Amino acid sequence: AAPRPAHGCGSGALLGRFGVLLQALLALCAFSTLMLKRFKEPKAERRPWRIWFYDTSKQAIGALFIHFANVFLSDLTEEDPCSLYLINFILDATLGMLLIWLGVKVVSWIVQHKKYTYLVFGEYGDPPQAAAWIGQCILYLLIMVFEKTVISLVLLIPGWTKLQQILLGYIPSPQLELVLVMFVVPFIVNAIMFWVVDSLIMRKYKQKDTLDINGSTETPRARRTEESQVLLSPDMDFDQSESDQDISGLRGTNQKVKQPSYQVVI
């Protein structure tokens, strides 16, 4: 086997003690952005904790699959595993993000066309069903498998070795390279990716319908439209006699009010 470059990571560095510590810290910091996103949502649209867990756990499963796939692929060759991991990660964050968006759109269209209600991303029923969450996790994991397969095929294109030398060839310390590859860059990119993907797969806020006395569903907009039509209707039926009596009654009351009288006492 050809020797590793002196400046690069050694074999197994990604799964060493220091590498695993960085990965655990990365997971904690990256998923904290999803919690921050929940508190940034308006109170009227904020998801309950159970729904939030169902939404974000799909991303957690997908991110873990992508991460360990990158670690496995990066250690297959005699090239610098840190550089290969970074290239995989950059492709996942660019081309992979487009593939994830396309996969979510296609899967959502199929399940809506087939009327599989519980497989629509973000829809878990009322009350939320764990079976719906499991089905959506499987669908999302299939999208991740599709995305990683395409990225792996792209990596077979020759010319990536030169990019590896450009990206991290100037860093002399293997530990500093590991920190950049396994924590700094992934934290920034993952925070953006998690925020965007969570917006894609969460249930879109819908204005709650109101239920009238007869049990029919009526939206506030329809109710306001109906009220405006009634107010603007030209054939409003009023009893003129009753209104005249009310007016005359008011006049009589005013006339019955006694004016104060004054007497001069000498």
Side-chain angles (χ1 to χ4, degrees):
R4 304 265 186 181
H7 66 274
C9 297
S11 178
L14 299 180
L15 293 177
R17 182 179 299 179
F18 186 60
V20 172
L21 177 63
L22 288 175
Q23 294 172 52
L25 186 61
L26 170 65
L28 179 63
C29 295
F31 282 101
S32 64
T33 60
L34 292 174
M35 189 173 294
L36 176 64
K37 182 178 183 295
R38 180 186 180 274
F39 287 110
K40 284 290 184 180
E41 295 172 357
K43 289 186 178 180
E45 306 174 24
R46 187 173 297 169
R47 292 166 288 178
W49 282 110
R50 187 175 182 181
I51 301 299
W52 177 86
F53 170 76
Y54 282 170
D55 287 341
T56 56
S57 59
K58 291 195 288 286
Q59 284 205 74
I61 295 172
L64 287 175
F65 168 77
I66 294 295
H67 171 73
F68 286 111
N70 289 342
V71 171
F72 174 75
L73 293 173
S74 300
D75 220 17
L76 282 180
T77 67
E78 293 300 325
E79 301 292 337
D80 179 13
C82 287
S83 299
L84 284 175
Y85 182 89
L86 185 60
I87 292 174
N88 273 280
F89 188 81
I90 292 174
L91 287 175
D92 288 329
T94 52
L95 178 60
M97 191 68 193
L98 178 61
L99 293 173
I100 292 172
W101 175 82
L102 181 63
V104 169
K105 292 296 182 182
V106 171
V107 169
S108 299
W109 181 84
I110 292 174
V111 297
Q112 288 179 1
H113 182 70
K114 296 294 185 179
K115 296 182 180 179
Y116 298 145
T117 307
Y118 284 168
L119 292 181
V120 177
F121 288 122
E123 297 287 348
Y124 306 104
D126 188 15
Q129 302 292 327
W133 168 70
I134 294 173
Q136 294 176 32
C137 286
I138 295 174
L139 285 180
Y140 189 74
L141 187 58
L142 290 176
I143 294 174
M144 294 295 103
V145 172
F146 163 74
E147 183 266 345
K148 196 65 237 176
T149 303
V150 176
I151 296 300
S152 300
L153 294 175
V154 171
L155 281 173
L156 296 177
I157 301 174
W160 294 107
T161 307
K162 294 182 179 179
L163 181 59
Q164 290 176 234
Q165 298 173 357
I166 295 174
L167 288 175
L168 298 172
Y170 59 90
I171 300 177
S173 173
Q175 287 192 339
L176 178 59
E177 183 176 339
L178 193 60
V179 170
L180 289 174
V181 169
M182 299 298 292
F183 181 74
V184 177
V185 176
F187 170 69
I188 297 172
V189 178
N190 272 330
I192 299 173
M193 288 182 63
F194 286 165
W195 199 290
V196 173
V197 174
D198 186 59
S199 300
L200 284 176
I201 63 177
M202 68 178 287
R203 179 183 179 181
K204 300 298 182 292
Y205 174 71
K206 298 177 182 178
Q207 192 175 24
K208 293 182 179 179
D209 296 336
T210 56
L211 198 66
D212 62 6
I213 298 176
N214 297 326
S216 60
T217 304
E218 181 184 18
T219 61
R221 182 176 181 180
R223 187 173 65 251
R224 288 196 301 267
T225 304
E226 184 179 353
E227 290 175 353
S228 62
Q229 290 177 352
V230 171
L231 291 175
L232 297 176
S233 177
D235 51 352
M236 298 172 64
D237 188 14
F238 289 101
D239 191 351
Q240 185 66 29
S241 61
E242 291 180 1
S243 61
D244 291 340
Q245 290 177 3
D246 293 340
I247 295 173
S248 61
L250 291 173
R251 290 177 178 176
T253 303
N254 292 335
Q255 291 175 358
K256 290 178 182 179
V257 175
K258 295 182 179 180
Q259 298 295 330
S261 57
Y262 302 94
Q263 294 180 358
V264 180
V265 179
I266 302 176

